[in-house]
Amino acid sequence: MAELSTEDWAFWDTWMRAQRLLVRELDRGLQRDCGISKAEFSVLMRLSAPMRVGELADALDWEKSRVSHLLTRMENRGLVARAEDGATGRRTGVELTAEGRRTAERATRAHGGNVRRLVLDRLTPGQAAAIREWSEQLIERVEPG
C-alpha cells in the first residue's frame, strides 16, 4: 500500500473538515428552523407510512435500542405514535402524528433550503455530476450490492 503524500493528506484533511462543518451547519439549521435534531429528521423522513420499529431501525442502519429511545422522546413531543401488538402488548409499530407530519413537511423545506444554499447553489452542473459519480463509486467500494 502506498503512503499518502503531503498533498494527499492535505486533500483528506480538507475534505474531512468540510464534511464536519457542513454536517454541523445543517444540524444547527434543523434545530434553529424546526426545533428537531438530525436524528429526529431521519426518523420523520422514513415514516411516510407506518412501520415496525425493527424495520425503522434497519432502514436507518441504527441499533434498535437507539431507535426506541429516540421514539420515546419523539412520542413525548407528539411527533410519533406507537401501536401495541395485541398479542404481546409490546409497542412494535410506529407512525407519524398530525404534528409529526407538519414538522416533517416544515423540516423538508427548511433542510432542503439549507442544502441548496450551502451546497447545490455553489456547484456547477459539471462539479455536481463529478461529485455524484465519485460518491456512487465510493459507496459501491465500501458497501457493494
Side-chain angles (χ1 to χ4, degrees):
M1 207 34 86
E3 290 188 29
L4 297 182
S5 68
T6 302
E7 187 176 303
D8 292 337
W9 279 116
F11 163 79
W12 181 252
D13 184 56
T14 301
W15 184 56
M16 295 305 292
R17 182 169 182 229
Q19 283 187 347
R20 284 190 307 273
L21 291 172
L22 178 60
V23 168
R24 185 182 71 194
E25 187 59 29
L26 290 172
D27 289 350
R28 285 179 180 169
L30 283 168
Q31 275 296 338
R32 177 189 64 240
D33 301 336
C34 305
I36 63 172
S37 68
K38 183 180 184 309
E40 291 168 324
F41 178 75
S42 297
V43 168
L44 293 173
M45 294 301 100
R46 292 288 181 183
L47 286 178
S48 57
M51 61 176 38
R52 298 176 62 78
V53 174
E55 293 169 333
L56 180 60
D58 289 344
L60 294 167
D61 196 25
W62 293 353
E63 294 294 322
K64 194 172 177 183
S65 62
R66 177 182 180 193
V67 173
S68 292
H69 289 296
L70 183 59
L71 289 175
T72 297
R73 289 192 302 272
M74 293 176 75
E75 189 174 29
N76 290 339
R77 293 178 51 209
L79 299 173
V80 299
R82 290 197 268 187
E84 290 185 11
D85 181 315
T88 66
R90 294 181 63 212
R91 299 186 317 164
T92 58
V94 62
E95 64 185 343
L96 293 179
T97 62
E99 179 60 26
R101 281 189 294 284
R102 284 190 295 273
T103 300
E105 290 168 8
R106 191 170 61 251
T108 299
R109 286 190 303 274
H111 191 61
N114 287 331
V115 168
R116 176 154 302 290
R117 176 179 58 83
L118 292 168
V119 180
L120 300 176
D121 285 348
R122 306 282 196 252
L123 293 174
T124 66
Q127 288 171 320
I131 291 170
R132 182 177 183 158
E133 181 181 345
W134 178 77
S135 297
E136 289 168 350
Q137 291 169 0
L138 179 60
I139 291 166
E140 184 59 31
R141 277 192 306 275
V142 173
E143 193 173 64

